């Protein structure tokens, strides 16, 4: 009997950090329909929960996420025009959008192979820490498919269009060290240090000015989609909003009083 979705996506909250862990190691954490929906729900809950101030997405076993496992999808009848586009919009794109739109900083702790939508799940995160054995693979071309799950949106923004095309056209595995050199990954650590490194960064984020981080995330994510005037207008609006928060007042007060700020996430 298949395990319940709660067992396939482990969840705990510690020290202000929501830990979301894919847990189908026997399938290299290829993500099922049920897992996807649970991850989306947990990210949505993290945005609204004042007790959560950072999120970590990671996985058990040797794989981070080997792509999509369509065996868990609801049964459908004969495919008709529009079905595939709808499936992508409601599936892979919703998962990636949930990460990009989460109002808390999201950190990927990539323990092993991240392929297809699994690679895009990691690259949509705000920060990426990879274990030395991790690999990133744009596997779609190997199956004769177009990259989905926002890949053609995310990759050029991280590595530029030429390198993005190379990764997508050939589908070669990118080792963790190379991924760090390209800018896909922030840090590479030995496998045994991955959880500790992720915890250190996530708990630092959880001690930060949470709304300011959310607004900064929105500004950066939108920065390559609009013109300079729109970016600067958004920046001014974000600062206006942020100055109404308790954390902004605390940050300014602590500077004036020459002490360490104590942020509450409000």
């Amino acid at each position: 009997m298949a395990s319940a979705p709660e067992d396939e996506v482990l969840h705990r909250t510690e020290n202000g950090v929501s830990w979301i862990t894919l847990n189908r190691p026997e399938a290299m954490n290829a993500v099922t329909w049920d897992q996807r929906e649970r991850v989306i729900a947990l990210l949505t809950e993290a945005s609204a929960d004042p007790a959560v101030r950072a999120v970590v997405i990671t996985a058990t076993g040797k794989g981070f996420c080997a792509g999509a496992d369509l065996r868990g999808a609801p049964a459908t009848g004969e495919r008709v025009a529009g079905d595939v586009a709808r499936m992508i919009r409601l599936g892979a794109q919703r998962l990636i959008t949930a990460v990009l739109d989460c109002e808390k900083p999201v950190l990927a702790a990539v323990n092993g192979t991240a392929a297809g939508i699994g690679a895009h799940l990691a690259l949509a995160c705000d920060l990426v820490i990879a274990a030395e054995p991790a690999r990133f693979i744009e596997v779609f071309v190997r199956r004769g498919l177009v990259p989905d799950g926002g890949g053609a949106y995310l990759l050029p923004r991280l590595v530029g269009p030429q390198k993005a095309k190379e990764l997508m056209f050939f589908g070669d595995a990118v080792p963790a060290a190379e991924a760090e050199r390209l800018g896909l990954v922030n840090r590479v650590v030995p496998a045994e240090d991955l959880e500790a490194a992720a915890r250190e960064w996530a708990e630092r984020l959880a001690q930060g000015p949470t709304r300011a981080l959310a607004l900064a995330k929105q500004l950066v994510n939108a920065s390559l989609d609009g013109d300079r005037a729109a970016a600067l207008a958004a920046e001014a609006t974000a600062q206006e909003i942020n100055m109404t928060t308790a954390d902004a007042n605390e940050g300014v007060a602590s500077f004036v009083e020459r002490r360490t700020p104590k942020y509450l996430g409000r």
Side-chain angles (χ1 to χ4, degrees), residues 20-38:
I20 301 172
T21 305
L22 301 178
N23 187 40
R24 293 179 68 236
E26 73 285 354
M28 295 284 284
N29 293 303
V31 68
T32 66
W33 188 92
D34 285 336
Q35 282 181 301
R36 183 192 73 215
E37 294 305 307
R38 180 152 163 77

Side-chain angles (χ1 to χ4, degrees), residues 173-238:
V174 179
E178 175 71 0
E180 183 181 29
R181 188 186 70 78
L182 291 174
L184 294 172
V185 166
N186 295 87
R187 285 179 66 192
V188 176
V189 298
E192 62 270 21
D193 297 338
L194 179 64
E195 184 173 345
R199 180 180 292 109
E200 178 193 1
W201 268 17
E203 292 186 359
R204 280 184 64 189
L205 292 168
Q207 294 298 311
T210 307
R211 292 309 302 167
L213 295 179
L215 290 162
K217 171 176 178 170
Q218 291 175 10
L219 289 174
V220 173
N221 284 354
S223 66
L224 296 174
D225 298 334
D227 58 24
R228 181 180 65 184
L232 294 182
E235 174 187 274
T237 300

Side-chain angles (χ1 to χ4, degrees), residues 11-20 42-57 102-107 126-127 198-215 217 242 245-248 250-251 261-266:
H11 180 248
R12 69 185 193 276
T13 302
E14 294 176 356
N15 299 325
V17 179
S18 171
W19 289 78
I20 301 172
L42 289 170
L43 288 165
T44 302
E45 291 168 14
S47 286
D49 187 350
V52 173
R53 295 170 65 186
V55 178
V56 175
I57 299 177
C102 182
E103 295 177 38
K104 308 297 165 67
V106 183
L107 187 154
D126 303 304
L127 299 169
R199 180 180 292 109
E200 178 193 1
W201 268 17
E203 292 186 359
R204 280 184 64 189
L205 292 168
Q207 294 298 311
T210 307
R211 292 309 302 167
L213 295 179
L215 290 162
K217 171 176 178 170
N242 188 64
T245 66
D247 281 350
E250 166 65 7
K262 183 175 177 60
Y263 296 122
L264 301 176
R266 291 173 171 79

Side-chain angles (χ1 to χ4, degrees), residues 138 155-156 158-170 174 178 181-182 184:
E138 286 295 317
L155 273 171
L158 292 167
V159 300
Q162 300 297 101
K163 196 67 184 182
K165 291 171 190 173
E166 178 185 335
L167 298 178
M168 291 179 171
F169 289 179
F170 293 111
V174 179
E178 175 71 0
R181 188 186 70 78
L182 291 174
L184 294 172

Side-chain angles (χ1 to χ4, degrees), residues 43 89 91-102 124 149 217:
L43 288 165
R89 284 198 306 272
Q93 290 179 356
R94 279 180 56 243
L95 176 61
I96 298 307
T97 299
V99 178
L100 293 171
D101 290 347
C102 182
K217 171 176 178 170

